[in-house]
Amino acid sequence: MSQEIVVQAQPRLWLEDSILQPYVSRYGTHLCRGRYAPSTQRVYLCCVAHFAYWLTVERCSLSAIGEAMVARFLSEHLPVCSCPYPVRRLRHELRAALAQLLEVLRADGIGAQDPASDTAVAQDLARFDKHMRDVWGLADSTRRQRGRIVGELLLAHFSDQPITMSKIGATSVRQFVLGDHKRSAGSIRVIGGAVGCYLRFRSMSGDRISELMAAIPRAAHWRLASLPEVLSDAEIDELLQSFDQPFPSHRRAYAMTRCLIDLGLRSSEVVNLRLEDINWADGTISLMGTKGRRADLLPLPSATGSAIVAYLREERPQTSNRAIFVRHVAPYDAPIEKGVVKRAVLAGYRRCGWTRTGTHILRHSVASRLLRTGSSMKDIADVLRHRSLDTSAIYAKVDLTKLSAVALPWPRITWPNAAGWDLICVFQETRSPRLPASLTRQAILVP
């Protein structure tokens, strides 16, 4: 029994009389190494004791403990749990505690493998992911998204059976991509792109996929048709000032948001920033392993650097993690996810009273600000690290002041009528050069 963690007598007996007894001390050491608070350590050990008692009642073997066993405990036993006092019954506590237990068991080579990883679908998805990474060079986020979409398609058709592409019909592919009637054109493009990517991968294995490729619906999409949403300078100032309010981890949230606003970084790039990426003497920051899979060097604005320095000196906890932005709760050495960045920005939106839900708007705002100050498209593409100027062309539309100076009046034809009113017919875009076909059927009477 770990001496650092003190629990009640009954949970201690459950642990000592269970198959987990040899690993109790290692579990306590694991939590101490992760710098969990003493109160959290006690709660987690009591959760493991509850699980140990259930394992004893169910007469489970040590080799059977794995993700499936934990899921069964949470879904089948916990809702009808009648274990004697004292037991921990909060689902989130049990899930977190047992996740750490599985780590300890895996480190010793104990526990059952996830049965889903041995299925034909899981193996094919692993090969697909490897191909996307090694051959096509797709970013991690893109691979995860496409793997999830393709996994849903394959599981719906094959479950745990071998994959046979001839069993997938064109109609089912079309229905899968379209989904329900509420699916947007953007979602259809993303899902259709993922399915098409997988079908191209299967074609390299000799599968005939031409009919399935033709069945993928193509959602209507007009390039550069919509204006990107951007923040004004006043709104940016309001957002930054919202971080002056005291709240937990406010220096980290402020520094991450400045990286988004000042450098135009993506959330994943903020998360991946490391201490050695900043050259304080030269005032530069290096970006490695970005979406473009290349190394970039950007100037570090003084305001951004000051925010990072304040975080490093006054708020960043001690950790072996070399990332600039780290976890503020145990385990401290584990990396943070990009969701931390998004939640920090969305919290700032709420403090401002906004209903916006995305962080990419800050990247759009960088381009808009550069455009207003007279920067060229080449400069904007360099700052945002776009490989093609066409990718940055969408931002040319946000400068409405300059666009209004070159905008032409809307074409129309006016015929006087006998009643003293003018019948105005507005032109409609059409391929026909004849005048009648280029007029709308709707007419507006004006005096």
Side-chain angles (χ1 to χ4, degrees):
M1 187 77 182
S2 176
Q3 297 181 355
E4 292 81 2
I5 307 176
V6 179
V7 296
Q8 294 170 296
Q10 187 62 61
R12 186 185 306 114
L13 290 176
W14 291 341
L15 289 168
E16 293 177 350
D17 294 340
S18 73
I19 56 176
L20 297 180
Q21 190 275 333
Y23 300 94
V24 172
S25 178
R26 299 183 193 180
Y27 185 75
T29 303
H30 175 78
L31 296 182
C32 291
R33 190 183 301 115
R35 294 160 58 193
Y36 285 85
S39 58
T40 303
Q41 294 182 32
R42 286 193 295 271
V43 168
Y44 279 16
L45 195 58
C46 288
C47 290
V48 172
H50 184 186
F51 183 60
Y53 177 78
W54 178 77
L55 291 175
T56 302
V57 173
E58 294 291 320
R59 298 181 179 180
C60 298
S61 63
L62 192 62
S63 60
I65 300 177
E67 298 285 353
M69 185 68 70
V70 171
R72 179 186 164 198
F73 170 75
L74 295 175
S75 62
E76 297 180 9
H77 168 72
L78 191 59
V80 295
C81 175
S82 59
C83 297
Y85 176 85
V87 292
R88 309 291 302 194
R89 291 192 175 93
L90 293 180
R91 180 178 294 271
H92 69 276
E93 290 181 349
L94 290 164
R95 185 186 297 111
L98 297 182
Q100 299 302 316
L101 174 65
L102 292 181
E103 288 188 18
V104 173
L105 296 178
R106 291 194 192 104
D108 203 40
I110 303 297
Q113 297 294 325
D114 185 3
S117 63
D118 295 331
T119 64
V121 170
Q123 294 173 3
D124 196 56
L125 288 175
R127 290 191 294 268
F128 178 48
D129 182 77
K130 185 175 184 298
H131 186 87
M132 288 191 293
R133 182 194 64 202
D134 298 341
V135 179
W136 293 334
L138 298 182
D140 292 344
S141 57
T142 303
R143 297 193 339 257
R144 284 194 298 268
Q145 181 189 59
R146 294 187 177 181
R148 176 182 55 80
I149 294 172
V150 173
E152 293 176 1
L153 173 66
L154 297 180
L155 287 174
H157 284 82
F158 305 107
S159 185
D160 57 351
Q161 302 300 314
I163 297 176
T164 305
M165 295 303 295
S166 59
K167 294 183 178 180
I168 302 180
T171 302
S172 62
V173 169
R174 180 177 178 82
Q175 291 176 346
F176 175 80
V177 175
L178 292 178
D180 54 34
H181 297 293
K182 296 181 180 180
R183 183 167 287 173
S184 65
S187 298
I188 292 174
R189 288 196 301 272
V190 170
I191 297 173
V195 174
C197 181
Y198 175 72
L199 292 178
R200 289 192 296 273
F201 162 72
R202 294 292 307 196
S203 69
M204 297 179 182
S205 302
D207 292 308
R208 297 181 178 180
I209 49 86
S210 56
E211 183 180 354
L212 299 181
M213 288 291 293
I216 298 177
R218 304 293 189 266
H221 173 62
W222 290 272
R223 179 170 168 76
L224 307 181
S226 61
L227 283 173
E229 186 181 9
V230 298
L231 298 181
S232 65
D233 292 341
E235 289 174 322
I236 290 176
D237 291 339
E238 182 182 359
L239 176 61
L240 292 175
Q241 290 172 3
S242 71
F243 292 93
D244 294 339
Q245 306 174 22
F247 57 87
S249 305
H250 72 282
R251 296 189 186 279
R252 183 183 68 179
Y254 177 68
M256 291 190 301
T257 305
R258 289 231 66 124
C259 289
L260 298 173
I261 290 177
D262 300 335
L263 300 173
L265 301 187
R266 304 176 180 90
S267 297
S268 58
E269 294 169 343
V270 174
V271 168
N272 292 331
L273 289 176
R274 300 180 64 80
L275 296 173
E276 54 268 23
D277 291 339
I278 297 182
N279 188 324
W280 297 104
D282 296 339
T284 59
I285 185 168
S286 300
L287 302 177
M288 310 295 292
T290 61
K291 182 179 180 181
R293 302 182 69 85
R294 63 182 183 182
D296 296 286
L297 186 67
L298 294 178
L300 181 64
S302 58
T304 313
S306 299
I308 294 176
V309 167
Y311 166 67
L312 295 177
R313 288 179 173 175
E314 303 179 30
E315 194 175 88
R316 186 179 187 269
Q318 293 184 356
T319 173
S320 61
N321 192 343
R322 296 293 296 172
I324 292 179
F325 302 108
V326 298
R327 291 173 58 91
H328 287 189
V329 295
Y332 293 93
D333 296 337
I336 64 172
E337 298 179 352
K338 64 179 183 180
V340 175
V341 181
K342 182 176 181 179
R343 287 192 293 271
V345 175
L346 296 186
Y349 291 168
R350 290 193 296 270
R351 290 192 295 272
C352 294
W354 301 344
T355 57
R356 296 181 171 94
T357 58
T359 60
H360 216 63
I361 182 178
L362 302 181
R363 185 171 167 86
H364 293 325
S365 301
V366 173
S368 175
R369 186 169 64 252
L370 292 173
L371 191 64
R372 291 197 304 269
T373 57
S375 300
S376 66
M377 280 295 136
K378 178 64 169 61
D379 295 333
I380 295 175
D382 289 342
V383 171
L384 299 183
R385 289 154 287 117
H386 290 155
R387 292 185 177 182
S388 172
L389 290 178
D390 290 341
T391 309
S392 306
I394 188 174
Y395 300 113
K397 301 189 307 178
V398 298
D399 195 346
L400 300 180
T401 303
K402 293 181 179 178
L403 287 177
S404 62
V406 298
L408 297 176
W410 189 259
R412 65 182 184 179
I413 294 178
T414 306
W415 291 279
N417 61 14
W421 290 67
D422 288 339
L423 182 64
I424 299 177
C425 294
V426 182
F427 278 108
Q428 181 183 28
E429 183 180 357
T430 178
R431 296 182 180 178
S432 174
R434 294 176 297 178
L435 181 62
S438 63
L439 298 176
T440 61
R441 294 183 179 179
Q442 295 181 349
I444 305 174
L445 284 174
V446 295

